[in-house]
Structures are given as structure tokens and as C-alpha cells.
Amino acid sequence: MGEGDEEPGFIQLEFEELPADEMLSRARDFYEQMDERRTTRHFSNREVPRELIELAIKTASTAPSGAHLQPWTFVAISNPEVKAQIREAAEAEERKTYSERMPEAWAEVLRPLGTDHVKEHLSDAPWIVVVFRQSKRQRDSGEWGPTYYAQESCGIAAGLFIAAIHNMGLTTLTHTPSPMGFLRDILNRPEHEHAMLVMPVGYPDEGAKVPNLNRKNLEDVSDFVHF
Ligand SMILES: Cc1cc2nc3c(=O)[nH]c(=O)nc-3n(C[C@H](O)[C@H](O)[C@H](O)COP(=O)(O)O)c2cc1C
């Protein structure tokens, strides 16, 4: 399309083709950087400026989403009393999960991670960011309508959030206290918002440990179909 040919409501895509060698070196660098990301459960209480959290949320919010509804709310908490409330409620649920509700098939895969119902990271980390999925949206008419593929959209946004945090030199833990209905009450969110992930963000504690895990090889996670 030539200049001035844009359809109403459309703008020109900004796209700059990169030289092939630069594509490859960027792809390798990004992979190597992301491969260094690890989930630690040991956070320092060192402060982190709010602007960094805002930038991570803005990055997350660039995610593609079903029908561009961006059906997410990121609630960022630095208030120590609210963090303590979240820790107490999460530990109460997790205590029941670990002692009564967890089937052996689940316990078996958690054992190498060394997790239990104690969640120090929820009070140690300077920030907790809770991702809420919106199951409904308000239409222009004022009526409520559904959102589409909200689960997938929020998962992608959370992935970008995690990548942004890693890229800025901080660490986060993807935590799913189960069940997590208490977060809506503590954080005063409306009924159509459903907590999905609780992500403490901060610096790792001195001497922070991580489980000694391997990642699957390319062959184990992919299949290429050539015609
Ligand atoms: C959807 C999801 C839920 C998770 N839930 C928890 C959790 O509740 N508690 C926890 O300690 N880690 C949780 N994790 C972190 C994983 O255990 C961790 O990502 C995995 O062991 C791989 O380690 P890595 O992130 O260092 O590669 C979760 C991760 C994902 C993606």
C-alpha cells in the first residue's frame, strides 16, 4: 500500500528488517539471557523503586490478548500490613493443601523443589504483584459481556512480566497459593476478577538457593514438520 492508502482505523506497521547475522546474534543473546532466569524462594527485603514495577506492568500489558481486551489487572502491593495479611491467608490455605488436600501425584513433583506451606517471600519481598484475570468486561452499552481467551492472554502477559523483571536485574517467583479466592477480598477487587498468580518481586537474598533443575532439550519440547 502506498502513502495515504491506509484503511480508516489502520496505521502503517512499523517494521525494520534486521540483517540475518544480527537476527541470529540477538536470538542467541536473548535465549542465553532468559536461560539464566531462575525462580528463587529467598528474597531480600531491599527496596525496589515503584517505577521499575510500573515498567514491568507496562511491558506485561504489551501482550497480545483475545480481541485486544487486555483482560488483566496487576495489583502491586508494597504496604507491609497488606503483605502480612496476604502471607497469613496464603499460609492458612497452603497448610491445608500440603497436609490434607494434596494428591500424591502432585506431592511427588513438588518434593524436589523443597516447597512447604511457609511463604516467607510474601513478607520479605518489597513488592507482591497479583495478576487478576477479568472474566467479564463492560460493553459500550453498559451491559456486561464476556472476555475471550482471558486465561491464555493473562498467561502471556505474566510471561512478559517475568521476562521484564529478569531483564531489569530483579527476580520474581510465580506463586499459586491454592485456592486463592482470599486475594479478591483482601485487595478489594470486583467479582469478575479472579486471582491467577502471586508474584513477589525483589532482589534475591544473600545466599539465595534454587533447586538444581535441568530444562528439557529442544528435541523434547518440539517437533518440526517440514513439507
Ligand atoms: C503456573 C505456575 C505456578 C507455580 N506455582 C508455584 C507455587 O505455588 N509455589 C512455588 O514455590 N513455585 C511455583 N511455581 C514455580 C515453579 O516451581 C518453577 O518455575 C519451576 O520449578 C521451574 O523453575 P525455574 O523457574 O527456576 O526455571 C509456579 C510456576 C508456574 C509457571
Side-chain angles (χ1 to χ4, degrees):
M1 282 203 308
E3 220 176 301
D5 281 345
E6 286 93 353
E7 305 257 346
F10 285 79
I11 56 167
Q12 190 60 45
L13 171 70
E14 283 181 32
F15 179 83
E16 190 195 337
E17 186 170 329
L18 299 172
D21 55 348
E22 193 180 337
M23 287 172 84
L24 191 56
S25 85
R26 280 202 197 197
R28 284 196 178 122
D29 289 351
F30 190 62
Y31 160 65
E32 276 162 23
Q33 196 198 347
M34 292 310 295
D35 194 35
E36 282 166 10
R37 184 205 56 76
R38 287 303 316 274
T39 297
T40 186
R41 293 162 182 88
H42 307 136
F43 284 77
S44 145
N45 58 10
R46 256 175 86 186
E47 291 206 354
V48 164
R50 175 179 163 144
E51 190 178 3
L52 290 176
I53 304 299
E54 287 177 354
L55 282 163
I57 296 172
K58 282 170 79 168
T59 303
S61 215
T62 66
S65 61
H68 189 47
L69 293 178
Q70 300 182 270
W72 45 70
T73 309
F74 288 79
V75 180
I77 306 121
S78 63
N79 179 295
E81 286 85 48
V82 178
K83 286 194 297 179
Q85 251 181 300
I86 293 175
R87 176 172 174 182
E88 195 182 324
E91 287 184 338
E93 290 295 359
E94 299 271 53
R95 193 174 294 113
K96 282 189 226 149
T97 299
Y98 277 88
S99 63
E100 300 162 24
R101 299 190 283 225
M102 189 176 286
E104 173 51 24
W106 189 4
E108 171 185 281
V109 288
L110 285 187
R111 231 166 266 134
L113 305 180
T115 53
D116 60 20
H117 71 273
V118 181
K119 301 298 176 190
E120 300 98 334
H121 53 263
L122 293 175
S123 46
D124 291 348
W127 291 94
I128 303 178
V129 176
V130 182
V131 184
F132 285 87
R133 169 180 60 86
Q134 300 170 0
S135 58
K136 291 189 202 152
R137 73 185 167 109
Q138 199 141 29
R139 299 174 62 190
D140 293 342
S141 62
E143 286 164 58
W144 286 91
T147 52
Y148 303 99
Y149 300 103
Q151 197 85 30
E152 292 82 350
S153 304
C154 291
I156 294 168
L160 291 185
F161 180 87
I162 293 164
I165 292 294
H166 177 63
N167 182 56
M168 64 179 71
L170 293 172
T171 191
T172 184
L173 157 60
T174 320
H175 181 194
T176 41
S178 167
M180 54 179 119
F182 64 88
L183 289 159
R184 183 195 289 142
D185 301 332
I186 294 177
L187 299 173
N188 262 323
R189 300 311 304 171
E191 215 161 290
H192 69 283
E193 292 194 4
H194 310 269
M196 264 185 73
L197 301 171
V198 178
M199 296 193 287
V201 177
Y203 291 92
D205 202 4
E206 241 174 82
K209 300 259 185 309
V210 287
N212 186 10
L213 305 176
N214 292 315
R215 296 196 164 121
K216 291 180 180 176
N217 296 321
L218 178 65
E219 301 73 51
D220 301 324
V221 299
S222 61
D223 190 10
F224 287 73
V225 182
H226 287 294
F227 294 98

